[in-house]
mmCIF file of all heavy atoms in Angstrom:
data_model
loop_
_atom_site.group_PDB
_atom_site.id
_atom_site.type_symbol
_atom_site.label_atom_id
_atom_site.label_comp_id
_atom_site.label_asym_id
_atom_site.label_seq_id
_atom_site.Cartn_x
_atom_site.Cartn_y
_atom_site.Cartn_z
ATOM 1 N N TYR A 79 22.006 -54.377 -43.806
ATOM 2 C CA TYR A 79 22.737 -53.541 -44.763
ATOM 3 C C TYR A 79 23.343 -52.352 -44.002
ATOM 4 O O TYR A 79 22.699 -51.314 -43.860
ATOM 5 C CB TYR A 79 21.793 -52.969 -45.813
ATOM 6 C CG TYR A 79 20.997 -53.958 -46.632
ATOM 7 C CD1 TYR A 79 19.673 -54.262 -46.281
ATOM 8 C CD2 TYR A 79 21.524 -54.544 -47.779
ATOM 9 C CE1 TYR A 79 18.908 -55.124 -47.063
ATOM 10 C CE2 TYR A 79 20.764 -55.410 -48.562
ATOM 11 C CZ TYR A 79 19.455 -55.695 -48.193
ATOM 12 O OH TYR A 79 18.698 -56.540 -48.965
ATOM 13 N N PRO A 80 24.575 -52.474 -43.505
ATOM 14 C CA PRO A 80 25.173 -51.353 -42.749
ATOM 15 C C PRO A 80 25.720 -50.275 -43.680
ATOM 16 O O PRO A 80 25.843 -50.485 -44.889
ATOM 17 C CB PRO A 80 26.332 -52.010 -41.996
ATOM 18 C CG PRO A 80 26.280 -53.472 -42.303
ATOM 19 C CD PRO A 80 25.453 -53.644 -43.526
ATOM 20 N N ASP A 81 26.087 -49.163 -43.093
ATOM 21 C CA ASP A 81 26.768 -48.100 -43.835
ATOM 22 C C ASP A 81 28.230 -48.517 -44.058
ATOM 23 O O ASP A 81 28.705 -49.506 -43.480
ATOM 24 C CB ASP A 81 26.685 -46.777 -43.056
ATOM 25 C CG ASP A 81 26.806 -45.559 -43.978
ATOM 26 O OD1 ASP A 81 27.200 -45.727 -45.148
ATOM 27 O OD2 ASP A 81 26.527 -44.433 -43.505
ATOM 28 N N THR A 82 28.949 -47.750 -44.858
ATOM 29 C CA THR A 82 30.317 -48.132 -45.246
ATOM 30 C C THR A 82 31.414 -47.359 -44.511
ATOM 31 O O THR A 82 32.599 -47.603 -44.745
ATOM 32 C CB THR A 82 30.512 -47.936 -46.758
ATOM 33 O OG1 THR A 82 30.084 -46.611 -47.092
ATOM 34 C CG2 THR A 82 29.721 -48.940 -47.562
ATOM 35 N N SER A 83 31.013 -46.439 -43.631
ATOM 36 C CA SER A 83 32.016 -45.654 -42.878
ATOM 37 C C SER A 83 31.278 -44.841 -41.821
ATOM 38 O O SER A 83 30.053 -44.726 -41.883
ATOM 39 C CB SER A 83 32.750 -44.679 -43.807
ATOM 40 O OG SER A 83 31.881 -43.594 -44.137
ATOM 41 N N PRO A 84 32.047 -44.261 -40.895
ATOM 42 C CA PRO A 84 31.414 -43.252 -40.033
ATOM 43 C C PRO A 84 31.037 -42.047 -40.899
ATOM 44 O O PRO A 84 31.494 -41.935 -42.039
ATOM 45 C CB PRO A 84 32.518 -42.858 -39.047
ATOM 46 C CG PRO A 84 33.702 -43.670 -39.368
ATOM 47 C CD PRO A 84 33.486 -44.412 -40.631
ATOM 48 N N ARG A 85 30.211 -41.198 -40.369
ATOM 49 C CA ARG A 85 29.797 -39.989 -41.123
ATOM 50 C C ARG A 85 29.946 -38.774 -40.220
ATOM 51 O O ARG A 85 29.650 -38.825 -39.018
ATOM 52 C CB ARG A 85 28.335 -40.110 -41.553
ATOM 53 C CG ARG A 85 28.028 -41.327 -42.417
ATOM 54 C CD ARG A 85 28.406 -41.138 -43.857
ATOM 55 N NE ARG A 85 28.295 -42.413 -44.597
ATOM 56 C CZ ARG A 85 28.546 -42.550 -45.879
ATOM 57 N NH1 ARG A 85 28.914 -41.506 -46.608
ATOM 58 N NH2 ARG A 85 28.451 -43.722 -46.466
ATOM 59 N N GLY A 86 30.384 -37.689 -40.854
ATOM 60 C CA GLY A 86 30.365 -36.386 -40.181
ATOM 61 C C GLY A 86 31.270 -36.266 -38.979
ATOM 62 O O GLY A 86 30.924 -35.602 -38.005
ATOM 63 N N LEU A 87 32.456 -36.881 -39.032
ATOM 64 C CA LEU A 87 33.370 -36.777 -37.884
ATOM 65 C C LEU A 87 34.185 -35.481 -37.929
ATOM 66 O O LEU A 87 34.959 -35.216 -37.013
ATOM 67 C CB LEU A 87 34.317 -37.986 -37.844
ATOM 68 C CG LEU A 87 33.692 -39.355 -37.592
ATOM 69 C CD1 LEU A 87 34.772 -40.422 -37.468
ATOM 70 C CD2 LEU A 87 32.822 -39.355 -36.340
ATOM 71 N N ASN A 88 34.027 -34.730 -38.978
ATOM 72 C CA ASN A 88 34.775 -33.478 -39.155
ATOM 73 C C ASN A 88 36.287 -33.675 -39.140
ATOM 74 O O ASN A 88 37.029 -32.888 -38.563
ATOM 75 C CB ASN A 88 34.383 -32.444 -38.086
ATOM 76 C CG ASN A 88 32.941 -32.020 -38.261
ATOM 77 O OD1 ASN A 88 32.478 -31.845 -39.394
ATOM 78 N ND2 ASN A 88 32.225 -31.896 -37.160
ATOM 79 N N ILE A 89 36.713 -34.749 -39.789
ATOM 80 C CA ILE A 89 38.149 -34.965 -39.988
ATOM 81 C C ILE A 89 38.513 -34.290 -41.309
ATOM 82 O O ILE A 89 37.804 -34.467 -42.308
ATOM 83 C CB ILE A 89 38.484 -36.468 -40.052
ATOM 84 C CG1 ILE A 89 38.152 -37.157 -38.726
ATOM 85 C CG2 ILE A 89 39.941 -36.694 -40.445
ATOM 86 C CD1 ILE A 89 38.343 -38.661 -38.724
ATOM 87 N N GLU A 90 39.614 -33.552 -41.279
ATOM 88 C CA GLU A 90 40.000 -32.836 -42.504
ATOM 89 C C GLU A 90 40.214 -33.831 -43.647
ATOM 90 O O GLU A 90 40.918 -34.837 -43.480
ATOM 91 C CB GLU A 90 41.288 -32.048 -42.236
ATOM 92 C CG GLU A 90 41.442 -30.902 -43.221
ATOM 93 C CD GLU A 90 42.798 -30.207 -43.074
ATOM 94 O OE1 GLU A 90 43.300 -30.118 -41.935
ATOM 95 O OE2 GLU A 90 43.327 -29.778 -44.106
ATOM 96 N N GLY A 91 39.606 -33.586 -44.776
ATOM 97 C CA GLY A 91 39.785 -34.438 -45.957
ATOM 98 C C GLY A 91 38.828 -35.618 -46.020
ATOM 99 O O GLY A 91 38.830 -36.372 -46.995
ATOM 100 N N GLU A 92 37.969 -35.755 -45.004
ATOM 101 C CA GLU A 92 37.101 -36.939 -44.923
ATOM 102 C C GLU A 92 36.143 -37.073 -46.119
ATOM 103 O O GLU A 92 35.806 -38.189 -46.518
ATOM 104 C CB GLU A 92 36.383 -36.865 -43.573
ATOM 105 C CG GLU A 92 35.005 -37.295 -43.439
ATOM 106 C CD GLU A 92 34.479 -36.954 -42.031
ATOM 107 O OE1 GLU A 92 34.035 -35.812 -41.790
ATOM 108 O OE2 GLU A 92 34.511 -37.843 -41.186
ATOM 109 N N ASP A 93 35.740 -35.949 -46.702
ATOM 110 C CA ASP A 93 34.795 -36.015 -47.828
ATOM 111 C C ASP A 93 35.445 -35.658 -49.168
ATOM 112 O O ASP A 93 34.749 -35.373 -50.140
ATOM 113 C CB ASP A 93 33.615 -35.053 -47.576
ATOM 114 C CG ASP A 93 32.833 -35.447 -46.338
ATOM 115 O OD1 ASP A 93 32.661 -36.666 -46.116
ATOM 116 O OD2 ASP A 93 32.414 -34.551 -45.586
ATOM 117 N N ASP A 94 36.772 -35.694 -49.224
ATOM 118 C CA ASP A 94 37.448 -35.219 -50.434
ATOM 119 C C ASP A 94 37.498 -36.229 -51.572
ATOM 120 O O ASP A 94 37.620 -35.855 -52.732
ATOM 121 C CB ASP A 94 38.899 -34.780 -50.113
ATOM 122 C CG ASP A 94 38.925 -33.495 -49.295
ATOM 123 O OD1 ASP A 94 37.833 -32.946 -49.039
ATOM 124 O OD2 ASP A 94 40.026 -33.053 -48.916
ATOM 125 N N ALA A 95 37.471 -37.524 -51.253
ATOM 126 C CA ALA A 95 37.650 -38.540 -52.304
ATOM 127 C C ALA A 95 36.583 -39.618 -52.181
ATOM 128 O O ALA A 95 36.103 -39.901 -51.085
ATOM 129 C CB ALA A 95 39.033 -39.178 -52.168
#
Side-chain angles (χ1 to χ4, degrees):
Y79 302 98
D81 205 347
T82 51
S83 74
R85 302 280 171 179
L87 295 185
N88 294 320
I89 297 175
E90 202 187 326
E92 143 187 84
D93 298 322
D94 290 357

